[in-house]
């Protein structure tokens, strides 16, 4: 059973910077896992933010950036805004990109 | 504008069946993989299944293999999820999403499995 692990919760001050990570139970996350990141606010459907490690969608603010960091996928928010308070999920691809597994999510509080 | 509209959810008894639909518009449906994702109440996202452009490739999370079937009708721009032998743990909001990477999402349809 493949498990993708994220920090359960993080807190950041407005204007600050925070990094969320995404680890795989199978070992180091590489670009071959095609890391994707999603944001979900209460009562709303998820919204895609980042695909294939570091590519922003056209609607993704440039304060969101994706990378690989220390064997994990990472999502960094710079100049955090109050509206960034949300749950964030990573998604990794497995088995030749046929299967997908979401991380458990990180609840980001802006305080 | 890309739109995905799910339907077909509801209350069903354990062991029962439901067929979810997702109507797609605003893009060339036949050119994209499609994905179903679910979210149990108060829980995180769970990838359920996806299907390639012509329906010849279908992939499932282990917990639904043999019970759920994903399919599509490219002529009608529609995605489906046939759910059989439903269990209480299948209770969730079910979302359809465009592409293998889920770039656009619908608003979801709620499935409740309970006696």
């Amino acid at each position: 059973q493949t498990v993708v692990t994220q920090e359960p919760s993080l807190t950041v001050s407005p204007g600050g910077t925070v990094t969320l990570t995404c680890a795989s139970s199978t070992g180091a996350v590489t670009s071959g896992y095609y890391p994707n990141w999603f944001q979900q606010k209460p009562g709303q459907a998820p919204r895609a933010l980042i695909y294939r490690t570091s590519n922003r969608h056209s609607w993704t603010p440039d304060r969101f950036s994706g990378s690989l960091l220390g064997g994990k996928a990472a999502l960094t928010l710079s100049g955090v805004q109050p509206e960034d308070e949300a749950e964030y999920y990573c998604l990794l691809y497995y088995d030749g990109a046929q299967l997908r597994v979401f991380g458990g999510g990180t609840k980001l509080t802006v305080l | 504008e890309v739109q995905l509209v799910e339907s077909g959810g509801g209350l069903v008894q354990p062991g029962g069946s439901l067929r979810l639909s997702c109507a797609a518009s605003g893009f060339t449906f036949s050119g994209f993989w499609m994905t179903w994702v679910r979210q149990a109440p108060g829980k995180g996202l769970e990838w359920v299944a996806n299907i390639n452009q012509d329906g010849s490739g279908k992939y499932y999370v282990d917990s639904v293999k043999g019970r759920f079937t994903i399919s599509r009708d490219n002529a009608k721009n529609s995605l489906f999820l046939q759910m059989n032998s439903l269990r209480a743990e299948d209770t969730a909001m079910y979302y359809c999403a465009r592409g293998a990477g889920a770039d656009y999402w619908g608003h979801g349809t709620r499935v409740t499995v309970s006696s």
Side-chain angles (χ1 to χ4, degrees):
Chain A
Q1 170 104 5
T2 301
V3 178
V4 177
T5 302
Q6 300 181 241
E7 297 85 0
S9 64
L10 291 170
T11 300
V12 61
S13 299
T17 296
V18 64
T19 297
L20 290 64
T21 67
C22 175
S24 173
S25 62
T26 60
V29 175
T30 66
S31 59
Y33 286 79
Y34 300 102
N36 285 250
W37 290 92
F38 301 86
Q39 177 192 66
Q40 188 180 32
K41 297 182 178 180
Q44 296 183 14
R47 181 176 74 138
L49 292 175
I50 299 287
Y51 63 100
R52 294 188 180 182
T53 306
S54 59
N55 296 278
R56 296 185 194 92
H57 289 283
S58 59
W59 52 82
T60 304
D62 58 11
R63 63 180 180 273
F64 291 86
S65 61
S67 64
L68 297 175
L69 198 64
K72 300 178 183 180
L75 176 70
T76 299
L77 287 70
S78 305
V80 172
Q81 302 296 308
E83 61 264 31
D84 298 333
E85 183 163 291
E87 193 88 21
Y88 291 85
Y89 294 93
C90 66
L91 175 68
L92 300 180
Y93 293 18
Y94 293 88
D95 289 348
Q98 294 177 357
L99 302 178
R100 314 277 188 271
V101 181
F102 279 99
T106 295
K107 181 175 175 56
L108 182 67
T109 300
V110 181
L111 199 58
Chain B
E1 178 193 6
V2 173
Q3 287 198 332
L4 298 167
V5 180
E6 302 93 337
S7 60
L11 174 64
V12 61
Q13 292 188 340
S17 298
L18 276 178
R19 187 189 195 215
L20 305 185
S21 299
C22 173
S25 61
F27 66 101
T28 304
F29 181 73
S30 60
F32 287 84
W33 284 65
M34 294 297 293
T35 297
W36 285 102
V37 176
R38 68 183 179 184
Q39 187 170 34
K43 301 297 185 182
L45 301 175
E46 181 180 36
W47 173 81
V48 175
N50 59 17
I51 186 169
N52 68 358
Q53 289 92 333
D54 65 5
S56 62
K58 304 176 184 183
Y59 308 97
Y60 302 90
V61 67
D62 284 348
S63 59
V64 309
K65 280 181 183 175
R67 300 189 300 123
F68 290 12
T69 301
I70 189 171
S71 63
R72 64 191 297 160
D73 184 339
N74 286 342
K76 296 183 178 179
N77 293 339
S78 294
L79 176 71
F80 306 101
L81 187 66
Q82 177 67 44
M83 305 188 297
N84 299 330
S85 303
L86 282 161
R87 307 167 179 166
E89 54 265 35
D90 296 317
T91 294
M93 182 73 81
Y94 284 74
Y95 297 99
C96 75
R98 188 183 80 163
D103 58 358
Y104 287 89
W105 295 61
H107 290 291
T109 186
R110 186 168 299 281
V111 172
T112 302
V113 184
S114 174
S115 54

